[in-house]
Amino acid sequence: MRKVTVVGAGNVGATCASVLAHKDIVKEVVLVDIVGNLARGKALDMWQQAPIDNYSTFLQGSDNYEDTAGSDIVVITAGVPRKPGMSRDDLISTNAKIVNLVTESILKHSENPIIIVVSNPLDVMTLAAYRTSKLDSSRVFGMAGILDTARYRAFLAEALQISPKDIQAMLLGGHGDTMVPLPRYTTVSGIPVTELLDRATIDKIAERTKVGGGELVQLMGTSAWYAPGAAAAQMVESIVRDEHRIFPCCVLLNGQYGLNDIFLGVPVKLGKNGIEQIIELKLQPDEMKMLQESAGHVRQVIEVYNGMAL
Ligand code: APR
């Protein structure tokens, strides 16, 4: 795989392109934005960073989709971010139009790309890209779970005074306040976290994780970008290197977890063909109930999307 397009040269898109270039795993990253000079300027700046940071990945900015021709992977970050007081769902009317337009434009120049959606509300924007692209569902999925688990892992590392590198965690559900952290599947170098922290502390961290994005919106007046951009780049890496890493990603469920026709965060195996396996965990009744509630919330946003005149 040689070419990755990142659509949206704003905070998340530019960070994703930069992290990706630093990984030095693809020949070219094309950064596309409706504001062409923003994309051109940021890509040029990142290319001028290459001799300093030792990468060969060429970066090009553009507002012309012809420049994206033959992309193997496309990351969609175009759209508006949250402002304080907004939920991700409030972005739907603006971002649905943008995501559909971007997907159509991409497909005119790349035949069978893998599309990773980052724009919010994530679960429904991924569905929108899937429907518009008509690609196989193994090739259209969303980035949320890596970010949400990273937040969870960072908070746990802080509480335990240990390196976040040693924390493994899994989390299910929609990318919103109804996401489902799973302490039962959270370990510290193989040790269940439940043996190292008391229940009340874990619960508090899980609650902070659920509103982790909102905490940053409050602090900065807009939503986060360093961890989201890096999370999307990590998904690209697993695909490009065909690593078969296991990440929570937003994917189309067809019967798994008793759910159908919905994009939701679950553990998957990510390789050169995109989603190569969906892993079905044996959930306990309370975990399953939380997942169903999360799915119910996402379905409400899907209804809004279905009712929109696009
Ligand atoms: N085509 C291409 N780019 C577009 C389009 C479009 N139709 N519409 C908007 N954009 C670009 C904007 O010009 C802007 O540069 O998308 C970029 C978005 O960047 P930011 O405003 O900095 O937003 P960011 O923080 O990057 O978030 C983007 O990702 O995490 C989600 O909720 C977040 O939906 C939001 C998205």
Side-chain angles (χ1 to χ4, degrees):
M1 293 201 194
R2 296 163 70 81
K3 184 166 176 176
V4 176
T5 289
V6 179
V7 188
N11 287 333
V12 178
T15 305
C16 177
S18 177
V19 173
L20 205 50
H22 279 83
K23 290 181 187 286
D24 211 8
I25 53 172
V26 291
K27 189 163 182 295
E28 186 180 5
V29 173
V30 182
L31 190 58
V32 176
D33 202 286
I34 200 166
V35 186
N37 280 347
L38 179 78
R40 277 186 273 275
K42 288 194 180 182
L44 181 60
D45 191 8
M46 287 181 218
W47 175 234
Q48 291 168 356
Q49 192 180 1
I52 303 167
D53 281 358
N54 268 322
Y55 52 81
S56 311
T57 300
F58 179 66
L59 295 119
Q60 184 197 168
S62 180
D63 51 6
N64 182 349
Y65 281 86
E66 283 176 16
D67 292 324
T68 70
S71 293
D72 301 295
I73 304 173
V74 179
V75 181
I76 301 181
T77 76
V80 291
R82 279 198 279 174
K83 298 262 173 295
M86 288 172 99
S87 83
R88 293 181 181 89
D89 302 341
D90 295 332
L91 307 173
I92 189 164
S93 59
T94 313
N95 286 357
K97 290 188 196 84
I98 294 173
V99 168
N100 283 335
L101 194 77
V102 167
T103 307
E104 277 167 19
S105 308
I106 284 294
L107 265 291
K108 279 185 196 145
H109 302 280
S110 297
E111 210 178 302
N112 191 26
I114 288 176
I115 298 181
I116 301 171
V117 180
V118 182
S119 311
N120 275 310
L122 192 271
D123 307 278
V124 183
M125 291 307 93
T126 311
L127 171 80
Y130 168 68
R131 283 191 191 158
T132 305
S133 70
K134 300 187 176 63
L135 291 169
D136 189 86
S137 61
S138 62
R139 301 185 79 79
V140 186
F141 40 93
M143 187 295 293
I146 296 179
L147 171 64
D148 295 328
T149 46
R151 286 177 174 151
Y152 184 46
R153 291 162 67 194
F155 295 148
L156 287 169
E158 220 176 327
L160 288 160
Q161 289 289 293
I162 58 158
S163 167
K165 288 196 274 191
D166 287 332
I167 302 183
Q168 293 288 322
M170 190 41 70
L171 185 151
L172 305 175
H175 184 46
D177 302 353
T178 61
M179 69 180 78
V180 187
L182 294 173
R184 219 160 49 82
Y185 290 100
T186 305
T187 59
V188 182
S189 287
I191 307 162
V193 75
T194 43
E195 291 184 20
L196 300 176
L197 285 174
D198 60 71
R199 189 76 215 186
T201 307
I202 295 173
D203 286 348
K204 214 167 132 198
I205 289 172
E207 288 312 308
R208 186 177 175 197
T209 302
K210 289 183 188 178
V211 293
E215 181 180 352
L216 288 157
V217 175
Q218 282 302 325
L219 288 169
M220 303 192 292
T222 188
S223 53
W225 59 90
Y226 292 114
Q234 190 170 52
M235 288 170 72
V236 173
E237 182 176 20
S238 187
I239 297 163
V240 170
R241 291 189 192 275
D242 195 24
E243 287 183 310
H244 285 185
R245 294 200 63 181
I246 307 292
F247 291 129
C249 296
C250 172
V251 297
L252 180 65
L253 296 180
N254 280 317
Q256 299 90 348
Y257 296 92
L259 294 163
N260 275 296
D261 301 321
I262 186 167
F263 275 83
L264 212 61
V266 296
V268 299
K269 188 200 281 181
L270 208 51
K272 70 176 186 316
N273 301 311
I275 305 297
E276 302 198 347
Q277 188 191 345
I278 294 177
I279 296 167
E280 214 172 339
L281 305 173
K282 291 186 183 66
L283 295 183
Q284 291 181 345
D286 60 325
E287 294 163 342
M288 186 56 99
K289 185 166 168 273
M290 284 193 279
L291 183 64
Q292 298 294 337
E293 278 167 13
S294 188
H297 179 78
V298 171
R299 282 201 199 283
Q300 284 173 14
V301 189
I302 294 175
E303 287 310 311
V304 175
Y305 174 70
N306 286 341
M308 283 170 64
L310 288 169

